[in-house]
């Protein structure tokens, strides 16, 4: 998942490099799913649900979830703050629930089955 803001190109370059690395290690093109560009809550949820459906019948294996973009805490209260992906709405400067997705929510949405390993690489 690549989530640039405005005219940033680094995230696009990151996701291209990751795809190249995965292909060199034997991953087929149809095994690599990419979400890039304006990252809204609805796009992130749809992407993670789609990936979850693809792996729902797996008994073993591994999934790499790579995120390149901006991160954010869900709040600045250390008692309740969670690490989160910062979404497109954060650009407006007015923060609300649509501006971020906690990693916990992202992983729940993906819903990897028991027995399937999950590797997370967060470049945020």
């Amino acid at each position: 998942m690549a989530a640039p803001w405005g005219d940033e190109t680094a995230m696009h370059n990151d996701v291209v490099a990751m795809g190249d690395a995965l292909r060199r290690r034997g991953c087929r093109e149809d095994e690599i799913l990419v979400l890039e560009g304006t990252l809204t809550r609805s796009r992130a949820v749809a992407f993670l649900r789609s990936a979850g459906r693809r792996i729902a019948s797996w008994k073993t294996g591994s999934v790499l979830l790579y995120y390149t973009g901006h991160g954010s805490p869900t709040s600045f209260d250390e008692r309740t703050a969670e690490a989160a992906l910062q979404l497109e709405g954060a650009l407006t400067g007015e923060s609300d629930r649509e501006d971020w997705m906690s990693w916990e929510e992202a992983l729940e949405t993906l819903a990897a089955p028991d027995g399937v390993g999950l590797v997370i690489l967060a470049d945020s």
Side-chain angles (χ1 to χ4, degrees):
M1 296 172 61
W5 285 5
D7 295 333
E8 293 175 328
T9 59
M11 289 78 172
H12 169 75
N13 296 338
D14 291 346
V15 83
V16 168
M18 181 59 72
D20 290 344
L22 292 170
R23 283 186 286 282
R24 284 194 306 270
R25 285 162 179 77
C27 289
R28 296 185 322 260
E29 203 63 43
D30 66 333
E31 295 175 320
I32 302 170
L33 305 177
V34 176
L35 175 62
E36 180 178 20
T38 303
L39 188 58
T40 60
R41 171 170 294 284
S42 61
R43 287 190 74 215
V45 166
F47 178 78
L48 291 167
R49 283 183 180 157
S50 176
R53 285 190 297 275
R54 288 184 64 159
I55 65 172
S57 64
W58 291 13
K59 304 295 182 213
T60 62
S62 295
V63 172
L64 169 66
L65 178 55
Y66 174 63
Y67 173 79
T68 177
H70 299 275
S72 173
T74 56
S75 80
F76 293 104
D77 180 342
E78 64 188 41
R79 296 167 295 180
T80 60
E82 299 176 65
L85 317 175
Q86 211 164 52
L87 304 175
E88 180 68 18
L91 293 176
T92 65
E94 295 181 22
S95 183
D96 68 24
R97 179 73 175 94
E98 294 300 305
D99 296 344
W100 50 265
M101 174 184 280
S102 74
W103 275 102
E104 181 178 343
E105 181 183 359
L107 299 179
E108 286 174 1
T109 303
L110 177 62
D114 289 340
V116 173
L118 185 58
V119 178
I120 300 169
L121 179 56
D123 182 7
S124 62

